[in-house]
Amino acid sequence: MPQPNGPIVICVINLKGGVGKSTISTLLSRYAFTDLKKDVLAIDIDPQANLSQALMHADYSNFLNEHRPSIVEIFNGYQPPSGGHNSPRALTNVVETIAQIDSNSLQLIPSRFDFSDNLTRALRPDSRVLAKHLASNFTHKDIIIIDCAPTESVLTEAAYHASSLVLIPVKPEYFATIGFTLLNTSLEHFRMRNPAHQIDVSGIVINNAFYDGGNKGGPEKKRAMREIESESIKNGWRTFDNEIPFSRGFPKKMRGDHSYSGNAVTFHRFAREFFASIGLQ
Amino acid sequence: MKTKKQNMLRSFLIPILDNWSIDEIQKTINEINNDNKITKSEKPKSTYKKPNYTETVNKLYPSSENKELLLDIANRFENKSFLPSISDIRNFLEMRGHSSSNIKQRTESFKVVIKVIAELPDENISRIIKNNAYSGPSELGPLSDAIKQASNSIRGSEKPSEKPDSSKIETDEESNKSSFNDKDDQKS
């Protein structure tokens, strides 16, 4: 049954790279679908397309070879001539169904590596295009998870326009809080330009709490954690109790390879806390 | 010193030797020995053979409309081009709302997998066959090829000519000259 107030749309973002945005987006999408039995849409707006590759596996090659529509076509507003079609076409069904259980599905709007090329060439890319597309086509979903690119661009703006919540993954290391200031400024500017749009930070998740089990991160982690805590309080952001531990199992778990899980099996602790905090159980 | 067992054998043999010659006894022993060998080698082996994947499909879905597709899946499962590892099977089941915690061996999972697939519409089965449902790392190869191919078709028109124009190839002497000029430019 769809959410009474429409789908919860959350963007996973940090303007610092390598903090696990795609891994967390993928695992939250899978968890919401398989464990919470929700109707899920995942959106990849990162030109690196890791979320798309993790969910589509070998079919991502077919998707590229067959020129199936992607987030690029949503921003362009049409499907170019291809696959026997001689003229541009209206956008239809720009979504890949990853899995289906009864009436619920895990669907994906995939990304392509030429995404940023396309936007660079566009004279004035419309950052509201994604929000408009979701409003027209995906109001039946329970949750929509957007995996963002790590640099501020029209893509960040597009993610904000489409979302009501922001999830910030962070690694407890020296440069951890650099992205916080950038992100907070970016959100403040967005709110100023769009006063009718309510967008809140759902929280910060400490990802890859390295050295745990060894020396617990030592002084480096302690120092980073102090800075994260102080910056979070300053910005009024909560930090989730459950950290995501370091595990070699995550890259496997992300693409659905269950041959080795290690500490990645504990991801459900954070997932449960996160979804409960946004009212999805 | 003779052991208890030897004494016992001796006590059995004495009355036998009193009644039969050594040759007769030896001949009889050989006959008994041969009979035992034949009995052991002729013992019938277990005739039960576990049905293979194709037979499982024929047995479970003898007149199903999608039998051809299911047989195709069975063949692919047999030659490991479909769900080649236990981890692929676990992911396959999990993403279709089925528990995979009881699955320990690939060979034993086929019945569960085929039952899940048999309930799907033909279109979905064909798609599963096409995608091979493989999550393993070796898929990075075809993925990389696809990216390269798509990249060429999208960006191909912008690529500079791959073959250099021979008239523009510098000789070593010219090249040296130009590098000297570069240095001069830097000085100035």
Side-chain angles (χ1 to χ4, degrees):
Chain A
M1 209 172 80
Q3 298 290 303
N5 299 320
I8 299 169
V9 187
I10 184 148
C11 61
V12 182
I13 191 167
N14 188 336
L15 296 180
K16 184 187 177 313
V19 295
K21 293 181 289 294
S22 301
T23 303
I24 291 170
S25 301
T26 310
L27 294 179
L28 286 178
S29 302
R30 282 176 186 273
Y31 184 89
F33 176 67
T34 58
D35 291 64
L36 301 182
K37 316 285 180 210
K38 299 295 178 191
D39 203 355
V40 184
L41 174 68
I43 304 175
D44 194 351
I45 60 169
D46 186 346
Q48 287 188 43
N50 291 152
L51 171 72
S52 310
Q53 290 157 24
L55 288 177
M56 292 175 78
H57 301 161
D59 196 29
Y60 190 73
S61 310
N62 300 331
F63 153 80
L64 287 178
N65 287 328
E66 293 164 10
H67 303 288
R68 300 201 304 245
S70 69
I71 189 79
V72 178
E73 280 66 43
I74 290 179
F75 272 80
N76 289 343
Y78 69 97
Q79 276 182 258
S82 68
H85 291 269
N86 299 322
S87 56
R89 284 163 289 154
L91 282 176
T92 50
N93 202 25
V94 186
V95 72
E96 299 282 335
T97 300
I98 305 301
Q100 177 110 29
I101 304 173
D102 302 325
S103 60
N104 289 340
S105 59
L106 169 56
Q107 293 185 305
L108 166 76
I109 297 178
S111 182
R112 269 198 337 241
F113 59 90
D114 62 314
F115 189 19
S116 46
D117 275 20
N118 259 267
L119 292 172
T120 311
R121 285 181 205 148
L123 279 179
R124 293 186 67 175
D126 182 1
S127 59
R128 288 179 173 83
V129 160
L130 180 61
K132 288 176 192 169
H133 189 77
L134 297 184
S136 305
N137 299 284
F138 293 102
T139 50
H140 61 285
K141 288 283 176 190
D142 293 315
I143 182 153
I144 299 174
I145 296 171
I146 305 174
D147 180 25
C148 297
T151 43
E152 186 161 20
S153 67
V154 66
L155 300 179
T156 322
E157 186 98 351
Y160 291 159
H161 275 299
S163 308
S164 58
L165 289 170
V166 174
L167 172 66
I168 310 166
V170 63
K171 278 191 179 178
E173 56 192 23
Y174 182 68
F175 292 113
T177 49
I178 297 289
F180 279 22
T181 316
L182 296 171
L183 185 60
N184 196 33
T185 312
S186 157
L187 273 169
E188 284 305 316
H189 284 170
F190 178 81
R191 287 187 187 115
M192 269 167 25
R193 288 192 304 271
N194 302 277
H197 186 128
Q198 190 181 343
I199 183 164
D200 298 313
V201 173
S202 71
I204 294 166
V205 54
I206 310 292
N207 180 33
N208 200 356
F210 55 93
Y211 303 136
D212 229 345
N215 66 358
K216 301 269 180 196
E220 181 79 355
K221 182 184 169 186
K222 268 188 193 160
R223 185 174 150 188
M225 289 298 285
R226 273 200 304 272
E227 283 182 26
I228 290 169
E229 195 185 347
S230 126
E231 284 293 314
S232 310
I233 292 168
K234 203 194 296 177
N235 296 321
W237 299 342
R238 70 170 284 189
T239 303
F240 289 102
D241 294 336
N242 287 287
E243 296 180 1
I244 301 175
F246 168 80
S247 173
R248 286 179 296 118
F250 276 115
K252 285 180 184 291
K253 195 174 168 67
M254 180 193 185
R255 61 176 191 267
D257 180 341
H258 295 260
S259 59
Y260 173 80
S261 295
N263 281 337
V265 290
T266 61
F267 181 80
H268 68 92
R269 292 180 193 161
F270 160 68
R272 207 182 300 140
E273 183 188 2
F274 166 71
F275 283 121
S277 78
I278 62 170
L280 204 73
Q281 292 178 69
Chain B
M1 209 172 100
K2 284 176 183 158
T3 64
K4 211 174 178 181
K5 268 188 166 181
Q6 280 172 323
N7 284 336
M8 194 190 279
L9 180 63
R10 196 179 167 81
S11 64
F12 287 140
L13 289 177
I14 288 169
I16 292 170
L17 285 167
D18 286 346
N19 291 291
W20 291 279
S21 69
I22 289 181
D23 285 346
E24 277 177 304
I25 295 167
Q26 184 67 54
K27 195 182 163 194
T28 310
I29 288 173
N30 286 343
E31 279 171 10
I32 293 168
N33 201 25
N34 285 338
D35 284 353
N36 279 344
K37 275 183 188 169
I38 289 164
T39 316
K40 274 182 190 169
S41 64
E42 283 181 354
K43 199 177 175 183
K45 283 179 186 169
S46 168
T47 49
Y48 175 76
K49 196 183 152 217
K50 206 175 175 184
N52 63 27
Y53 305 125
T54 310
E55 286 164 353
T56 304
V57 170
N58 284 325
K59 196 177 158 193
L60 289 174
Y61 308 100
S63 53
S64 174
E65 282 180 8
N66 56 11
K67 193 175 164 185
E68 284 305 309
L69 288 170
L70 299 181
L71 285 172
D72 191 359
I73 292 275
N75 276 329
R76 287 164 191 270
F77 196 87
E78 178 84 50
N79 64 31
K80 291 198 173 181
S81 63
F82 173 65
L83 300 179
S85 72
I86 189 76
S87 78
D88 294 314
I89 292 164
R90 286 185 186 137
N91 180 56
F92 180 85
L93 293 174
E94 186 185 299
M95 294 304 276
R96 282 156 185 85
H98 296 268
S99 168
S100 63
S101 53
N102 293 333
I103 305 289
K104 303 287 178 221
Q105 283 190 324
R106 183 178 182 270
T107 46
E108 286 167 8
S109 68
F110 182 71
K111 249 186 181 177
V112 184
V113 169
I114 205 70
K115 279 181 182 170
V116 171
I117 294 175
E119 289 171 8
L120 299 172
D122 286 3
E123 189 191 335
N124 290 17
I125 302 178
S126 300
R127 191 162 180 173
I128 285 171
I129 292 170
K130 188 180 162 197
N131 295 342
N132 276 341
Y134 180 35
S135 61
S138 65
E139 285 303 324
L140 287 175
L143 182 60
S144 164
D145 291 344
I147 289 173
K148 198 174 167 188
Q149 200 179 332
S151 173
N152 285 342
S153 70
I154 292 165
R155 295 170 172 164
S157 57
E158 292 172 11
K159 278 174 73 178
S161 169
E162 283 181 7
K163 280 188 179 175
D165 184 345
S166 58
S167 65
K168 289 181 183 168
I169 295 175
E170 290 177 330
T171 61
D172 283 350
E173 201 182 321
E174 283 167 335
S175 173
N176 287 341
K177 252 189 229 169
S178 68
S179 63
F180 284 132
N181 288 340
D182 288 346
K183 280 178 190 167
D184 288 346
D185 285 347
Q186 282 167 6
K187 278 179 193 169
S188 62

